[in-house]
């Protein structure tokens, strides 16, 4: 019984800390353990357990010798484990134990023009399948994504319900298998349309991820863009030396 009471207490203190830190800017320092004990009227072990919960939930970062810093509701975007987890937002976030879903905004066939034709290495006017979606993570809007795939690779895409089916899994079911991704990320300002979708202010910073996907033979099978609130994510990229 004592253990259960203690567990409930440090969870309540965790919630109290979240309310206390809610208005802090990203990566603001938070009070030390002794000060938190005085503020919240609890023991140091209880404060430590509450901080451990916040750290496990990626809401604070603790740095030895420097203290703890608030990161809020950042979603960890880990591109370093793609080989094990698979490509795509749904696969990546599902591996983190997060729930994803999509709302389809547009699902059309259109001719490739200009930069799109160049990115897909297609002749101008070649038909592509275009899927535009709102992507949710844990029931909160995360990104607006646009996926472009040469229609000849998988004509069945036109008749698929992408609120219920994943795009990359659908491609794999029709023997189109992604093997490598090339990503570029930059920060731009939100247009009125994107600001409306992402529920941010116009001109707010958003990051745009552009993804070019190829199969094992090096054929381009997809060009995609993902636009998300610049303050919602924390990226991890791992490099190795051969």
């Amino acid at each position: 019984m004592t253990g259960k009471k203690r567990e409930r207490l440090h969870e309540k203190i965790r919630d109290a800390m979240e309310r206390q830190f809610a208005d802090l800017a990203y990566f603001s320092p938070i009070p030390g353990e002794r000060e938190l004990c005085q503020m919240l009227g609890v023991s140091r072990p209880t404060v430590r357990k509450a901080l451990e919960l916040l750290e496990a939930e990626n809401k604070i970062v603790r740095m030895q010798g420097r203290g703890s810093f608030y990161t809020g509701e950042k979603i960890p975007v880990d591109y370093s484990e793609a080989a094990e987890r698979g490509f795509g937002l749904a696969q990546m976030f599902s591996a983190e134990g997060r729930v994803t879903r999509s709302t389809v905004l547009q699902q059309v066939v259109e001719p490739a023009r200009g930069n799109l034709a160049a990115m897909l290495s297609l002749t101008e006017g070649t038909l592509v399948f275009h899927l535009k979606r709102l992507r949710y993570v844990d029931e909160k809007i995360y990104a607006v994504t646009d996926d472009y795939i040469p229609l000849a690779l998988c004509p069945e895409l036109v008749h698929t319900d992408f609120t219920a089916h994943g795009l990359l899994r659908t491609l794999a079911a029709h023997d189109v298998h992604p093997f490598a991704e090339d990503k570029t990320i930059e920060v731009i300002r939100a247009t009125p349309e994107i600001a409306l979708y992402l529920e941010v202010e116009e001109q707010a910073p958003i990051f745009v991820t552009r993804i070019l996907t190829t199969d094992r033979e090096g054929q381009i099978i997809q060009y995609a863009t993902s636009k998300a609130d610049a303050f919602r994510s924390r990226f991890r990229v791992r490099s190795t030396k051969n």
Side-chain angles (χ1 to χ4, degrees):
M1 188 68 176
T2 303
K4 291 183 178 178
K5 286 183 179 178
R6 187 177 297 130
E7 182 179 5
R8 287 198 295 270
L9 176 59
H10 77 256
E11 288 175 348
K12 289 178 181 178
I13 294 303
R14 183 268 316 275
D15 294 341
M17 287 181 183
E18 281 197 79
R19 291 192 293 271
Q20 185 80 21
F21 304 153
D23 293 329
L24 294 177
Y26 173 66
F27 222 75
S28 294
I30 64 173
E33 290 182 5
R34 182 179 298 176
E35 186 177 349
L36 287 169
C37 290
Q38 294 172 347
M39 289 168 53
L40 299 166
V42 293
S43 67
R44 204 157 188 166
T46 299
V47 163
R48 283 177 180 164
K49 288 184 179 182
L51 290 172
E52 287 170 1
L53 284 180
L54 290 174
E55 185 177 30
E57 294 166 355
N58 297 305
K59 293 175 182 175
I60 65 167
V61 172
R62 294 197 283 181
M63 304 176 70
Q64 189 171 5
R66 293 183 58 190
S68 299
F69 300 84
Y70 179 70
T71 55
E73 295 290 338
K74 294 283 179 177
I75 294 177
V77 180
D78 191 346
Y79 288 140
S80 67
E81 304 293 339
E84 292 78 22
R85 298 176 176 182
F87 299 128
L89 288 179
Q91 287 87 334
M92 179 170 58
F93 289 138
S94 294
E96 295 283 348
R98 294 176 179 268
V99 178
T100 63
R101 69 176 178 87
S102 299
T103 297
V104 175
L105 299 174
Q106 189 178 28
Q107 184 172 332
V108 296
V109 173
E110 59 189 49
R113 304 289 185 196
N115 183 62
L116 177 60
M119 292 300 295
L120 290 170
S121 294
L122 297 175
T123 304
E124 289 265 346
T126 302
L127 293 180
V128 297
F129 175 75
H130 176 195
L131 178 64
K132 187 182 192 74
R133 291 175 288 179
L134 285 181
R135 313 297 296 277
Y136 294 82
V137 178
D138 296 337
E139 289 305 317
K140 293 181 180 179
I141 182 68
Y142 177 73
V144 182
T145 60
D146 288 271
D147 297 274
Y148 302 90
I149 296 158
L151 184 63
L153 282 179
C154 189
E156 294 83 358
L157 294 174
V158 175
H159 306 293
T160 302
D161 176 8
F162 286 104
T163 60
H165 297 84
L167 178 58
L168 294 182
R169 287 195 175 102
T170 300
L171 287 172
H174 292 90
D175 206 28
V176 179
H177 301 282
F179 177 73
E181 285 187 337
D182 186 288
K183 297 183 178 74
T184 60
I185 303 173
E186 65 176 318
V187 176
I188 65 172
R189 296 192 180 277
T191 63
E193 176 193 8
I194 297 301
L196 181 65
Y197 286 140
L198 295 179
E199 300 176 357
V200 299
E201 297 292 328
E202 290 183 24
Q203 298 297 302
I206 63 171
F207 69 79
V208 181
T209 306
R210 296 182 173 87
I211 306 166
L212 200 63
T213 307
T214 55
D215 63 14
R216 188 174 291 274
E217 285 71 43
Q219 180 183 11
I220 296 171
I221 62 175
Q222 179 195 36
Y223 172 65
T225 65
S226 174
K227 300 179 178 73
D229 182 350
F231 298 115
R232 286 291 319 276
S233 297
R234 184 185 73 248
F235 289 92
R236 176 175 181 249
V237 178
R238 181 167 60 92
S239 300
T240 59
K241 184 178 180 180
N242 294 329

